[in-house]
């Protein structure tokens, strides 16, 4: 038997795997409502964003159905093969962007020129005329973030920012976005972009870093809003609690 490489499993994938095992064993049957995100997080000893990433992954695979205002329900297993793992989860990607793009904005404020601000202003003007979410608004959002990186004249940084942004086009991130992005969140994000632009124009390095990190932190918070489900305690009475996951 050949030696096989050890592939590390991200925590949200471990959670999804354990919940899937509970479905397959009949612990939760099709139509059953799962405990709430908060209850699952408490039982498993992990964060709610990790639970949310796992539930989104399971919904994309067709194993659960999230009904906003009602709860998360187990569905019949799909006949088609499950989608491959998406790798990093949405929250992990946003946290990485917060650190990386915050540092880029800080440095960019020390090198920005009037022509760079004009480019960002054109992008912001086009963003202001769009209704979100569409492919166009996402493209403009990407253009703004890569435009900030372009101030430094480093193609590698532009590519890194663009590649990280493009991860939001995977089916897991798109499903999460479908629940929490709308015209209101788009307007909020637009104002956050303007705050970054203003700090850059003022050559305020600390302000630019803070504004960029604030924007990406708020993006995480927008995706962390409660689905609005009620308690599932009564409906799950008698069910075994999901096993607690211990992390090292």
């Amino acid at each position: 038997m050949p030696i096989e490489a050890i592939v590390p499993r991200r925590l949200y994938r471990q959670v999804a795997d354990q919940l899937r095992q509970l479905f397959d064993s009949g612990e939760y049957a099709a139509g059953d409502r799962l405990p709430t995100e908060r209850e699952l997080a408490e039982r498993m000893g992990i964060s709610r964003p990790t639970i949310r990433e796992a539930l989104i992954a399971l919904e994309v695979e067709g194993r659960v159905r999230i009904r906003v205002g009602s709860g998360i329900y187990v569905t019949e297993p799909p006949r088609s093969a499950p989608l491959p793992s998406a790798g990093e989860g949405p929250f992990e990607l946003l946290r990485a962007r917060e650190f990386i793009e915050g540092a880029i904005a800080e440095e960019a404020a020390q090198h920005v020129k009037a022509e760079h601000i004009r480019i960002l202003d054109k992008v912001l003007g086009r963003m202001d005329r769009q209704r979100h979410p569409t492919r166009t608004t996402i493209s403009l959002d990407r253009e703004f973030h890569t435009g900030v990186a372009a101030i430094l004249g480093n193609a590698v940084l532009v590519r890194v920012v663009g590649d990280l942004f493009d991860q939001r086009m995977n089916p897991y991130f798109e499903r999460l976005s479908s629940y929490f992005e709308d015209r209101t969140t788009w307007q909020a994000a637009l104002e956050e972009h303007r705050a970054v632009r203003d700090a850059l124009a003022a050559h305020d390095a600390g302000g630019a870093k803070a504004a960029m990190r604030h924007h990406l932190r708020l993006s995480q918070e927008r995706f962390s809003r409660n689905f609005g489900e009620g308690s599932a305690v009564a409906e799950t009475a008698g069910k075994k609690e999901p096993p607690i996951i211990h992390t090292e």
Side-chain angles (χ1 to χ4, degrees), residues 101-201:
E101 294 191 47
I104 289 173
E106 180 181 30
E107 187 70 17
Q110 302 174 58
H111 300 277
V112 67
K113 298 178 181 178
E115 62 192 74
H116 298 131
I117 298 301
R118 284 195 293 271
I119 291 172
L120 295 180
D121 283 343
K122 288 181 180 179
V123 176
L124 289 171
R126 291 162 61 198
M127 291 172 73
D128 197 27
R129 294 190 292 272
Q130 296 292 327
R131 291 186 177 182
H132 188 70
T134 66
R135 290 284 180 177
T136 300
T137 58
I138 292 173
S139 177
L140 289 170
D141 193 0
R142 183 187 193 278
E143 190 174 345
F144 180 87
H145 285 271
T146 55
V148 173
I151 293 171
L152 296 177
N154 187 308
V156 174
L157 290 176
V158 174
R159 185 168 66 250
V160 167
V161 170
D163 287 348
L164 284 173
F165 189 97
D166 290 342
Q167 294 302 309
R168 68 166 292 154
M169 304 309 292
N170 70 52
Y172 300 90
F173 210 126
E174 288 190 329
R175 183 62 61 90
L176 183 63
S177 299
S178 71
Y179 288 113
F180 301 106
E181 289 192 335
D182 54 29
R183 190 181 305 179
T184 300
T185 62
W186 175 247
Q187 286 300 317
L190 183 57
E191 291 305 315
E192 293 157 20
H193 284 91
R194 289 191 176 113
V196 174
R197 177 265 181 213
D198 290 346
L200 289 170

Side-chain angles (χ1 to χ4, degrees), residues 14-243:
Q14 295 180 47
V15 174
D17 289 346
Q18 293 205 31
L19 289 174
R20 196 183 301 105
Q21 290 171 9
L22 290 174
F23 305 160
D24 292 341
S25 69
E27 190 69 24
Y28 289 98
D32 284 351
R33 184 166 68 174
L34 293 179
T36 65
E37 282 185 335
R38 177 181 56 79
E39 291 164 341
L40 287 171
E42 289 175 353
R43 293 181 187 183
M44 292 183 168
I46 54 180
S47 69
R48 287 184 64 175
T50 299
I51 293 292
R52 175 155 299 183
E53 288 176 332
L55 292 173
I56 290 294
L58 289 170
E59 186 178 36
V60 171
E61 293 173 11
R63 299 307 305 267
V64 302
R65 177 63 177 168
I66 298 171
R67 299 176 184 171
V68 177
S70 177
I72 302 103
Y73 295 84
V74 180
T75 59
E76 291 286 353
R79 295 182 179 179
S80 58
L83 292 171
S85 170
E88 297 85 1
F91 291 99
E92 189 173 6
L93 287 165
L94 285 170
R95 284 192 293 270
R97 288 184 59 198
E98 179 187 339
F99 294 119
I100 294 170
E101 294 191 47
I104 289 173
E106 180 181 30
E107 187 70 17
Q110 302 174 58
H111 300 277
V112 67
K113 298 178 181 178
E115 62 192 74
H116 298 131
I117 298 301
R118 284 195 293 271
I119 291 172
L120 295 180
D121 283 343
K122 288 181 180 179
V123 176
L124 289 171
R126 291 162 61 198
M127 291 172 73
D128 197 27
R129 294 190 292 272
Q130 296 292 327
R131 291 186 177 182
H132 188 70
T134 66
R135 290 284 180 177
T136 300
T137 58
I138 292 173
S139 177
L140 289 170
D141 193 0
R142 183 187 193 278
E143 190 174 345
F144 180 87
H145 285 271
T146 55
V148 173
I151 293 171
L152 296 177
N154 187 308
V156 174
L157 290 176
V158 174
R159 185 168 66 250
V160 167
V161 170
D163 287 348
L164 284 173
F165 189 97
D166 290 342
Q167 294 302 309
R168 68 166 292 154
M169 304 309 292
N170 70 52
Y172 300 90
F173 210 126
E174 288 190 329
R175 183 62 61 90
L176 183 63
S177 299
S178 71
Y179 288 113
F180 301 106
E181 289 192 335
D182 54 29
R183 190 181 305 179
T184 300
T185 62
W186 175 247
Q187 286 300 317
L190 183 57
E191 291 305 315
E192 293 157 20
H193 284 91
R194 289 191 176 113
V196 174
R197 177 265 181 213
D198 290 346
L200 289 170
H203 299 279
D204 180 358
K209 177 181 180 180
M212 182 64 81
R213 293 195 60 172
H214 181 66
H215 162 54
L216 292 169
R217 193 175 302 117
L218 288 180
S219 295
Q220 296 172 54
E221 291 180 6
R222 283 189 279 270
F223 288 145
S224 297
R225 288 186 304 183
N226 198 305
F227 279 121
E229 73 272 11
S231 174
V233 173
E235 294 192 18
T236 57
K239 299 286 186 180
K240 288 194 294 186
E241 294 186 355

